[in-house]
Amino acid sequence: MRSESRPEEHLPSPQPERTSSRGMVLLALLLLGVAGGGIWWATRDADTREELRSQAAQTLHKAQNSAVSTLLDALSPTPPKPPLPEVRAQATDAVASGPADAGGSPAPEDIALLETLTAGTPVDADADARKREDRIVRPAFVQDAARWMASCYQPGNTGEGRLKFSAQWANARFATRTQGIALPEGAEFTSRAALLRYLLKPGVLQSLYDKYGDSFMQEFDTALRQPEAQKPLSDKAVRGAYRLYADYLASVAGALDSVAATPGLSAELRRMEEAGQHSVDLNGRITEAVFQMDEAREAGDSAAMQEAQQRINVLTSQYRLANSEKARIRQQTIALLKQRGGRSLDDATVLFLAQWVNRRMAVDKNAQGAAQAAAGVLRALAARMQQRQ
């Protein structure tokens, strides 16, 4: 008969003798080490013991830092290592310039645009779209400009119509109206300054005309024949509008050519402005003398009244001479500005164009070339309008 046994009887039995003997050995070694270390430490001098204490503290500190660092590394994901400088430079250049066009160098306006973009700005990769449309001046701007110019023509009841359009009016309208202008984000200047900086680059104006000339003419013709605020124009009125615009744009083109080619433009305009300022100063002195004479009259001081009257007479004579000199210098300046073109344009517009170009030339080395490019574009547009009159 098999005797029953309990499960715990099959577990291995502890062996206290072997464990105790091993523990005694370890304890003896530990005591020996402590005793030996104590004897060795007791035989060291004070300086040596201080140096050893400092080394031990540094070692413990490093160990603690290493342990903490290891724990943080385990809990936090390791960030990717930054690329090498040359790799970063290549990546920045690639983003800033965009994908290269296959089969040719970039267009002039693309080169100009790259100067306004910053690294990380997305660039359109569609080469065909870049050829059809400009990245800054969008089709919506061209459409708006064409419709507005068409609305500036007022047909006559019986005869020739007239234009309520001028270079000054166009400048004022588009100074704040930026519909259809897609400027880079983060520009450090106003929208107008950014747009001018872009347009006054070599080749940009001609490129814009190449891109949008046909669509502008089509939009202009549609808006001209079907105006929003009045009944459709007759063919005769449409031809009249084209004739007036062709003449005006050709005159502006001639004036821009002449202004851009005028030697000493800045000095000539400054001479005219100084003559005008002299007249303004004399007028102010006359006003002051009249005020003093009124005060003398109220005070009953006849001597002061007489003195003020004499001063007014002298200043008035000087003012007439200054005005004559101002008019003479103004006509000389206008004649010089019209020497190479724009003779049919009114004087006020010629002076406006000259002052506008002069301000641009003071801050942009490309302004003179841009003025000549603008003249070429206006002349080409005038020729197309002349063909439809």
Side-chain angles (χ1 to χ4, degrees):
M1 184 175 179
R2 186 172 54 184
S3 61
E4 296 181 359
S5 61
R6 290 175 297 178
E8 58 268 22
E9 295 178 353
H10 297 282
L11 294 176
S13 301
Q15 300 178 4
E17 298 83 359
R18 188 177 303 174
T19 304
S20 299
S21 62
R22 184 182 303 137
M24 291 300 293
V25 173
L26 292 176
L27 179 59
L29 291 175
L30 179 59
L31 291 175
L32 181 61
V34 172
I39 296 172
W40 180 82
W41 178 264
T43 59
R44 304 298 101 185
D45 56 65
D47 293 340
T48 303
R49 282 183 293 189
E50 183 62 28
E51 182 180 356
L52 292 172
R53 186 183 296 110
S54 176
Q55 292 177 359
Q58 292 178 5
T59 303
L60 178 60
H61 180 71
K62 292 180 179 179
Q64 290 174 343
N65 288 344
S66 177
V68 172
S69 177
T70 302
L71 178 60
L72 292 178
D73 289 343
L75 296 177
S76 304
T78 302
K81 294 182 179 180
L84 296 176
E86 60 272 15
V87 177
R88 286 200 302 270
Q90 294 172 3
T92 302
D93 293 342
V95 174
S97 60
D101 285 334
S105 59
E109 76 279 5
D110 291 335
I111 297 175
L113 176 60
L114 295 182
E115 296 183 12
T116 68
L117 294 178
T118 56
T121 303
V123 178
D124 186 7
D126 187 351
D128 292 335
R130 288 201 301 272
K131 294 177 181 178
R132 293 191 306 268
E133 299 177 0
D134 187 79
R135 295 177 184 150
I136 299 296
V137 181
R138 307 300 297 153
F141 178 85
V142 178
Q143 183 183 62
D144 177 66
R147 291 178 178 177
W148 175 70
M149 287 182 62
S151 70
C152 290
Y153 172 72
Q154 293 185 340
N157 294 328
T158 56
E160 183 94 359
R162 67 190 185 97
L163 289 181
K164 293 183 61 177
F165 176 86
S166 68
Q168 297 93 313
W169 197 356
N171 179 73
R173 184 180 190 272
F174 294 107
T176 57
R177 193 180 182 94
T178 56
Q179 177 182 348
I181 300 298
L183 294 171
E185 295 182 0
E188 297 179 357
F189 26 64
T190 64
S191 298
R192 175 178 171 82
L195 179 59
L196 288 175
R197 184 172 182 268
Y198 173 65
L199 293 178
L200 298 182
K201 296 291 184 181
V204 172
L205 293 174
Q206 182 60 48
S207 176
L208 289 173
Y209 179 74
D210 293 341
K211 284 180 168 70
Y212 295 128
D214 293 339
S215 59
F216 173 87
M217 290 296 295
Q218 182 177 356
E219 192 68 37
F220 178 80
D221 189 78
T222 300
L224 197 62
R225 294 180 182 277
Q226 300 175 356
E228 297 179 356
Q230 58 190 24
K231 63 181 181 180
L233 299 184
S234 64
D235 290 341
K236 180 179 179 181
V238 171
R239 290 195 299 272
Y242 277 117
R243 180 166 54 255
L244 291 176
Y245 264 115
D247 292 343
Y248 185 78
L249 295 180
S251 297
V252 173
L256 281 174
D257 268 338
S258 186
V259 165
T262 299
L265 174 63
S266 180
E268 188 65 31
L269 291 176
R270 185 166 55 252
R271 185 170 77 102
M272 186 186 69
E273 291 170 359
E274 289 174 352
Q277 186 60 44
H278 183 51
S279 294
V280 172
D281 293 340
L282 287 172
N283 184 64
R285 294 170 62 185
I286 292 173
T287 302
E288 182 181 356
V290 170
F291 179 75
Q292 292 173 352
M293 188 175 68
D294 289 340
E295 286 186 327
R297 182 183 294 108
E298 292 178 0
D301 190 343
S302 58
M305 287 178 57
Q306 184 177 3
E307 182 182 354
Q309 183 62 60
Q310 291 176 352
R311 188 161 57 253
I312 291 173
N313 293 339
V314 172
L315 290 173
T316 301
S317 178
Q318 293 176 353
Y319 180 71
R320 292 194 187 100
L321 292 175
N323 271 345
S324 297
E325 182 67 7
K326 180 184 71 173
R328 185 184 69 82
I329 294 177
R330 183 176 186 272
Q331 287 306 121
Q332 286 182 347
T333 301
I334 292 173
L336 181 63
L337 295 174
K338 289 185 176 183
Q339 191 171 2
R340 296 173 176 82
R343 293 182 178 87
S344 61
L345 204 61
D346 62 284
D347 295 348
T349 301
V350 172
L351 286 176
F352 167 78
L353 294 173
Q355 291 164 347
W356 192 91
V357 172
N358 185 58
R359 287 195 301 271
R360 302 282 81 74
M361 289 174 62
V363 297
D364 193 332
K365 63 181 181 180
N366 298 312
Q368 183 176 15
Q372 294 170 334
V377 168
L378 291 175
R379 190 173 289 107
L381 187 60
R384 295 181 70 164
M385 290 189 171
Q386 187 176 18
Q387 294 174 355
R388 299 193 180 189
Q389 66 182 14

